[in-house]
Amino acid sequence: MATVVWSCSPTVQGKMTEKEATLQDQLIVNDPGPSFLISATQAVFMPPMLKWQDWDYSPLWVKKPQPISKALPKDWQTRVHFDNSMGRSRALVRFPQGTDLYGQGEVFGDLQRNRTKIGIWNTDNFGYGTDGGKRLYQAHPWMMGVREDGTAFGIIADTTWRSTLEATDTEIIFDSEGPVFPIIVIEGKSPQSVLTQLSERIGTMALPPLWSLGYQQSRFSYETAEKGLNIAREFRRRKIPADVIWMDIDYMDGYRVFTIDKERFPDPMAYSKALHEMNFKGVWMIDPGVKADPGYFVFQSGNANDVWVKKPDMKTDFVGPVWPGDCKFPDFTREETRIWWAGLYKDFMQKNGVDGIWNDMNEPAVFNSPGHTMPVNNYHRGDAQLQPGPHVQYHNIYGMLMMSATLDGMQAAQPDKRPFLLSRANFLGGHRYGATWTGDNFSTEEHMKMSIPMTLNMGMSGQPFNGPDLGGFGNNASPELFEQWVSFGVFFPFTRAHACKGTNQKEPWAFGPGVEEVARTAIQRKYRLIPYYYTLFRQSSKNGQPIMKPTFFADPADRKLRDEQTTFLVGEDLLVIPTFAKNPDLPAGNWLPVTLLEGGKDANDRQATLKVRPGAIIPLGAEVQSTVEPMLETTTLIVNLDEHGKAQGELYQDAGDGYGYTTGDYNLTRYHAESTPDGVRISSRIVEGNRPTATRKLIVRLLTPQGEKTAETIPGQDIVVK
């Protein structure tokens, strides 16, 4: 949701008034300070003026690293130097020429991040217009480098303070307004290895509910229950698969969080039940700003519990305007506040049938204020883990701490369901609490094309469950733009179309029958692939790998792939080539094209091209209208043999929700194909879990350069394709 004005035109953007932190012309390199191994391939570099025992708690860690040795290996490649002068703290990392850089979290621009400089400062940035998009809604003090030979390293700056992150072709420079901070260096034989090690430090995402992988429709706003239900009915009537309808702020009573407008939504539980009867879920927005209304129960409770962020005098509650007017803001650095906030969700979710939560405006955004946020010298009181400090110290983790409290409340409200939480603001490590999206983009060709490298760099920064607003949030989308965007955008991990108030409708049928058919076909393709995606999400919950990966991950040593950003991988096995990609650099090998729908109706120049990696087996489900429908009774295997005549793949199954999978109520089936003198033998075996497979019939589609060969069998019974 935009915070500048009600209109969503780029000509009315607010201008940045708060000066961005800048680097000095010359970085002074001091004593590099002590270093410690924390694993065989990970090291912590400490500034000389910081002792290990004085290294404060950071919310990005699952567990604070512990030293195992003071001596680095003789062949350790990446070292760090520190400087603390002129009121700023800096760290410099040097690396060899020819290294390509990635990461930086949520950034607008090209996939490669060499020769860039960004602000690490969560910013409400409508249309990415403020500061040229160099500061967006999330902060990730992280970069990954891939050397010429394909080996890689990652760099974490453990500071939450406002900072800048600059990258040249030989240096990475973190420059912070806060006290000195350590740098963690991760070394790996590949970028995938580095990302798995990153997840060991900052955690992995929890396995989300299956429904959250489906197509989702939002608008600012579907103002009434009837509008929301009509959107759901249209999806079902037109046979366009979808799983979620979103409720933006207009459902609230005067934008008061945890309330519902009884005229617009007279019976919210009946509304939710009606969505559920059509196999839809509902996600509802909650912002951090609490209207300063003496008669409002949340405000009263917050005052009684003294939960608010303070002004610089450390006593007076800060008040700032957001959608409801003057608001107070919870101080999420305090455990007591987080417990209070979590407690607000029980009645809200249980009494209204709420399925998911959307935390927005949590940079935090404040209207009519420098930088669109609260003053940097506001005061946070902290708790046993977080020390008291100014807002400039805690601004970047405000949204992450809000997510943590929200998740606690959701789990307490619905203990038998997996929560789905989406947040606009976040910090490195915040993927543990929920998904994110890339904020208030525009309906432009540039933003459409940039949505690919933006999502890829988020994945390479430890945030696998993310994606853009398909079709663009601000401005009117043309039929051609929406068609192109949805044709490849359905393959993002988070797949939601969204539109701002004052712009044209952006439902799949809003652009006429031709675009509707393209959108329907694209979404149907995604739904056939949901079993594959769900398997990838399960893998990511264990190893931290992105769901959507840059094409160069197919061969990190192939230099020509390093800046390829018009195509992308889903997992390791599926390559997506959008319709706008002209002569892209593609990985070597016999990647074969595949259609997913009956009769090959998705084989046309208005759909993204899909190719399967040699050596891969990709499971497909049935064509369904939502994830509630059974999709695996007939499972189709797409098989592409490698140069050795072999292929393999996996399929993960569980109940799709709940936590039975943690005690064995799941199954992992492994598929294997091998060329033999009699033909290609395909086998399937359950290798993990106690849950019976939902599959009753297996259809094998063997891809060859001469065309497809097909066969049928049942799970556990080998079959030979002649």
Side-chain angles (χ1 to χ4, degrees):
M1 177 193 317
T3 64
V4 183
V5 287
W6 285 97
S7 169
C8 292
S9 166
T11 61
V12 292
Q13 296 171 45
K15 292 187 178 295
M16 169 66 180
T17 58
E18 192 170 283
K19 189 176 183 296
E20 179 189 355
T22 58
L23 289 168
Q24 302 297 326
D25 292 336
Q26 181 66 39
L27 182 73
I28 303 170
V29 178
N30 284 339
D31 180 357
S35 55
F36 304 86
L37 275 183
I38 54 176
S39 81
T41 54
Q42 301 173 29
V44 174
F45 290 80
M46 306 290 288
M49 60 289 291
L50 178 64
K51 296 180 179 179
W52 186 282
Q53 58 268 30
D54 296 328
W55 180 12
D56 286 339
Y57 162 84
S58 174
L60 70 86
W61 307 114
V62 172
K63 184 178 181 181
K64 182 179 175 181
Q66 296 299 318
I68 61 173
S69 172
K70 291 185 177 181
L72 299 183
K74 293 182 179 180
D75 60 350
W76 189 269
Q77 298 188 59
T78 309
R79 297 182 182 273
V80 185
H81 299 272
F82 296 91
D83 169 47
N84 180 235
S85 62
M86 303 179 68
R88 304 187 65 83
S89 302
R90 306 179 183 90
L92 179 147
V93 181
R94 292 195 174 101
F95 51 85
Q97 190 87 30
T99 299
D100 297 309
L101 300 177
Y102 306 93
Q104 290 185 334
E106 187 183 58
V107 288
F108 181 74
D110 291 331
L111 180 69
Q112 282 189 343
R113 304 308 298 165
N114 301 63
R115 300 175 299 283
T116 62
K117 180 181 176 182
I118 67 166
I120 301 178
W121 184 250
N122 290 351
T123 302
D124 173 20
N125 198 337
F126 179 60
Y128 311 152
T130 299
D131 197 24
K134 293 178 181 177
R135 290 180 287 115
L136 295 183
Y137 306 88
Q138 303 183 36
H140 294 77
W142 155 266
M143 289 204 81
M144 181 172 68
V146 184
R147 304 183 184 95
E148 287 188 296
D149 62 358
T151 63
F153 63 91
I155 307 293
I156 303 171
D158 189 8
T159 177
T160 63
W161 289 72
R162 180 164 57 182
S163 308
T164 62
L165 171 52
E166 184 174 17
T168 71
D169 283 326
T170 56
E171 295 175 337
I172 297 170
I173 306 166
F174 291 96
D175 183 298
S176 170
E177 295 184 24
V180 293
F181 53 89
I183 293 286
I184 292 81
V185 177
I186 300 172
E187 290 283 352
K189 293 182 179 179
S190 66
Q192 292 93 324
S193 169
V194 168
L195 292 178
T196 290
Q197 292 183 73
L198 173 65
S199 74
E200 293 169 359
R201 294 297 168 190
I202 66 172
T204 57
M205 68 171 175
L207 186 63
L210 181 64
W211 59 262
S212 65
L213 276 58
Y215 190 79
Q216 311 187 29
Q217 187 66 50
S218 183
R219 182 173 178 82
F220 174 31
S221 285
Y222 299 130
E223 299 97 338
T224 67
E226 191 58 26
K227 283 188 177 182
L229 291 177
N230 281 339
I231 295 297
R233 293 179 188 122
E234 282 298 295
F235 272 100
R236 295 295 177 249
R237 185 177 73 83
R238 296 171 184 270
K239 296 192 181 304
I240 302 173
D243 267 85
V244 186
I245 302 296
W246 289 65
M247 272 56 73
D248 212 312
I249 57 173
D250 287 319
Y251 80 82
M252 301 178 192
D253 177 11
Y255 306 133
R256 296 169 179 85
V257 292
F258 300 103
T259 70
I260 293 181
D261 187 314
K262 291 303 182 182
E263 291 187 6
R264 294 178 172 182
F265 288 80
D267 189 342
M269 178 59 83
Y271 170 74
S272 295
K273 287 181 177 179
L275 285 179
H276 296 163
E277 288 172 0
M278 290 185 282
N279 290 341
F280 276 94
K281 300 294 190 295
V283 177
W284 303 65
M285 178 183 285
I286 296 290
D287 294 345
V290 175
K291 183 175 178 62
D293 173 2
Y296 168 34
F297 78 98
V298 178
F299 185 71
Q300 293 172 342
S301 174
N303 286 340
N305 288 278
D306 190 21
V307 301
W308 312 118
V309 173
K310 302 298 183 182
K311 289 183 176 181
D313 64 9
M314 306 183 188
K315 297 178 181 179
T316 309
D317 298 338
F318 168 73
V319 178
V322 203
W323 295 113
D326 282 346
C327 291
K328 292 185 180 181
F329 297 81
D331 182 358
F332 292 113
T333 67
R334 302 177 68 239
E335 182 182 15
E336 297 92 331
T337 300
R338 298 193 296 273
I339 293 172
W340 168 80
W341 183 260
L344 297 171
Y345 281 92
K346 184 175 182 180
D347 283 351
F348 178 73
M349 297 189 72
Q350 291 182 351
K351 292 182 178 180
N352 300 310
V354 172
D355 299 296
I357 296 293
W358 178 9
N359 283 168
D360 195 19
M361 307 290 288
N362 53 346
E363 291 74 32
V366 181
F367 296 165
N368 306 321
S369 177
H372 306 305
T373 193
M374 64 177 62
V376 295
N377 58 350
N378 271 2
Y379 182 67
H380 293 269
R381 286 170 284 169
D383 57 19
Q385 288 186 310
L386 295 170
Q387 299 299 313
H391 185 67
V392 69
Q393 178 180 3
Y394 289 118
H395 173 90
N396 281 334
I397 61 171
Y398 188 88
M400 177 182 177
L401 295 174
M402 179 186 181
M403 289 178 72
S404 172
T406 298
L407 183 66
D408 287 344
M410 295 177 71
Q411 290 174 323
Q414 298 178 339
D416 297 328
K417 294 182 179 181
R418 297 179 213 164
F420 173 72
L421 170 63
L422 184 85
S423 176
R424 191 169 75 174
N426 209 346
F427 188 74
L428 184 65
H431 64 287
R432 301 193 300 269
Y433 309 116
T436 60
W437 89 107
T438 57
D440 297 338
N441 59 3
F442 277 167
S443 297
T444 66
E445 182 177 9
E446 180 188 28
H447 283 203
M448 175 189 72
K449 292 180 177 179
M450 285 296 105
S451 69
I452 295 177
M454 289 184 76
T455 302
L456 291 172
N457 273 315
M458 283 289 286
M460 287 189 285
S461 301
Q463 179 67 62
F465 201 177
N466 84 99
D469 282 339
L470 298 184
F473 176 73
N475 291 357
N476 293 328
S478 69
E480 296 78 15
L481 179 73
F482 184 85
E483 174 182 304
Q484 273 200 319
W485 209 331
V486 75
S487 69
F488 70 87
V490 295
F491 301 110
F492 288 117
F494 176 61
T495 307
R496 182 185 73 165
H498 190 31
C500 185
K501 187 173 291 189
T503 70
N504 59 350
Q505 296 296 125
K506 291 169 186 171
E507 296 79 31
W509 54 85
F511 302 93
V515 175
E516 178 183 342
E517 181 57 29
V518 171
R520 179 187 295 106
T521 298
I523 297 168
Q524 286 172 335
R525 299 175 98 191
K526 170 65 174 284
Y527 271 73
R528 289 219 70 189
L529 282 164
I530 280 182
Y532 175 63
Y533 275 83
Y534 198 48
T535 302
L536 295 176
F537 270 81
R538 194 260 185 172
Q539 292 172 358
S540 181
S541 73
K542 291 183 171 296
N543 63 20
Q545 289 298 302
I547 308 299
M548 178 172 159
K549 304 182 180 187
T551 299
F552 81 83
F553 270 33
D555 184 1
D558 187 346
R559 294 300 305 280
K560 77 176 188 298
L561 299 178
R562 295 284 185 84
D563 61 355
E564 173 52 53
Q565 61 184 40
T566 62
T567 66
F568 57 90
L569 296 169
V570 178
E572 300 283 352
D573 298 337
L574 188 67
L575 179 66
V576 179
I577 307 174
T579 56
F580 72 81
K582 306 302 180 185
N583 301 313
D585 289 316
L586 301 180
N590 190 33
W591 292 70
L592 293 179
V594 65
T595 60
L596 302 181
L597 303 184
E598 186 175 348
K601 71 174 184 178
D602 52 329
N604 60 70
D605 60 6
R606 297 172 73 179
Q607 296 294 334
T609 298
L610 304 181
K611 291 190 173 185
V612 179
R613 179 182 63 83
I617 299 178
I618 295 179
L620 304 180
E623 293 187 31
V624 295
Q625 292 300 299
S626 83
T627 59
V628 175
E629 299 176 26
M631 62 178 67
L632 287 171
E633 289 184 357
T634 296
T635 301
T636 301
L637 303 181
I638 305 295
V639 181
N640 183 17
L641 301 177
D642 63 15
E643 59 184 355
H644 305 293
K646 295 182 179 182
Q648 63 181 7
E650 291 182 343
L651 173 63
Y652 174 78
Q653 303 176 52
D654 66 15
D657 205 344
Y659 296 95
Y661 72 94
T662 63
T663 55
D665 185 22
Y666 73 93
N667 69 69
L668 181 67
T669 302
R670 191 158 291 147
Y671 304 107
H672 181 76
E674 185 171 6
S675 183
T676 72
D678 297 326
V680 178
R681 178 176 293 276
I682 293 95
S683 63
S684 64
R685 301 288 185 272
I686 294 179
V687 295
E688 287 184 26
N690 303 320
R691 187 180 182 86
T693 180
T695 304
R696 298 294 176 262
K697 180 170 71 173
L698 279 175
I699 297 177
V700 175
R701 291 173 54 190
L702 176 64
L703 307 182
T704 77
Q706 295 76 37
E708 287 190 14
K709 308 287 186 180
T710 62
E712 293 185 10
T713 185
I714 60 175
Q717 181 173 299
D718 293 4
I719 188 171
V720 176
V721 182
K722 298 292 185 181

